[in-house]
């Protein structure tokens, strides 16, 4: 069988519900991807929007919700970090990642944020999103951060 299936929250609700009914032991990730920055939206409004996306995913039956945005500045990063904090407090399973140059830090901080996992490519040419690090990049960063004295 398959351990995980990732389906977009914008898929037809009937498709998501049917998948959940038939999932068996497979864990369902319901994901939201935002490829354009929403840097002009007020902080509280933006955070509330992403919280509602997460809540909808859990209500649909997600085992894990995945939120991926394209932060344009440190304020956008703070929104992602606050969302992670709130989901962690609620003991929800989640993956929160950023794309682009500001998103790199979310990938490095994923273990601290409480993300279930992160994504890395084997080689630079295989990256699926701007800001995605290679497996070797991640190993080097984690070795430096987690094993430094």
């Amino acid at each position: 069988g398959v351990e995980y299936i990732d389906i977009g929250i914008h898929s037809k609700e009937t498709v998501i519900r049917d998948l959940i009914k038939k999932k068996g032991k497979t864990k369902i990730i319901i994901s939201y991807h935002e490829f354009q920055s929403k840097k002009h939206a007020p902080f509280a409004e933006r955070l509330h929007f992403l919280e509602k996306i997460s809540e909808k995913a859990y209500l649909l039956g997600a085992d894990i919700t995945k939120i991926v945005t394209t932060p344009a500045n440190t304020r956008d990063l703070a929104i992602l970090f606050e969302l992670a904090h709130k989901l962690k407090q609620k003991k929800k399973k989640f993956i929160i990642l950023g794309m682009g140059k500001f998103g790199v830090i979310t990938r490095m901080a994923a273990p601290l944020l409480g993300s279930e996992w992160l994504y890395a490519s084997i080689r630079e040419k295989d990256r699926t999103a701007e800001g995605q690090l290679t497996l070797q990049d991640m190993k080097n960063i984690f070795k430096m951060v987690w094993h430094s004295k």
Side-chain angles (χ1 to χ4, degrees), residues 61-76:
D63 295 295
I64 301 171
T65 187
K66 180 172 78 172
I67 304 291
V68 183
T69 67
T70 306
N73 50 43
T74 55
R75 182 200 73 108
D76 290 349

Side-chain angles (χ1 to χ4, degrees), residues 47-101:
L47 178 60
H48 181 73
F49 172 78
L50 294 175
E51 283 180 290
K52 289 296 179 197
I53 293 283
S54 295
E55 287 173 21
K56 180 179 178 183
Y58 295 123
L59 287 172
L60 286 169
D63 295 295
I64 301 171
T65 187
K66 180 172 78 172
I67 304 291
V68 183
T69 67
T70 306
N73 50 43
T74 55
R75 182 200 73 108
D76 290 349
L77 287 173
I79 291 167
L80 290 178
F81 291 171
E82 181 63 20
L83 177 63
H85 175 72
K86 287 180 174 237
L87 293 174
K88 195 172 179 180
Q89 280 186 322
K90 294 176 183 177
K91 300 191 182 330
K92 297 289 187 181
K93 292 186 176 190
F94 62 88
I95 299 164
I96 291 180
L97 296 170
M99 296 182 285
K101 69 177 184 175

Side-chain angles (χ1 to χ4, degrees), residues 136-148:
Q136 190 59 53
D137 292 337
M138 295 304 296
K139 285 180 178 179
N140 292 341
I141 289 165
F142 288 159
K143 183 177 180 184
M144 183 176 61
V145 172
W146 302 111
H147 299 294
S148 62

Side-chain angles (χ1 to χ4, degrees), residues 4-73:
Y4 295 92
I5 293 176
D6 185 332
I7 187 166
I9 198 158
H10 291 89
S11 300
K12 288 184 178 180
E13 230 175 88
T14 54
V15 172
I16 295 172
R17 291 190 189 283
D18 190 47
L19 179 64
I20 292 188
K21 282 181 196 170
K22 296 176 181 175
K23 73 177 193 154
K25 293 183 180 183
T26 301
K27 301 287 185 202
I28 303 296
I29 301 166
I30 298 180
S31 59
Y32 170 77
H33 291 80
E34 192 174 85
F35 298 98
Q36 297 294 317
S37 171
K38 306 288 188 211
K39 62 185 173 187
H40 300 296
F43 186 97
E45 179 182 305
R46 191 80 188 101
L47 178 60
H48 181 73
F49 172 78
L50 294 175
E51 283 180 290
K52 289 296 179 197
I53 293 283
S54 295
E55 287 173 21
K56 180 179 178 183
Y58 295 123
L59 287 172
L60 286 169
D63 295 295
I64 301 171
T65 187
K66 180 172 78 172
I67 304 291
V68 183
T69 67
T70 306
N73 50 43

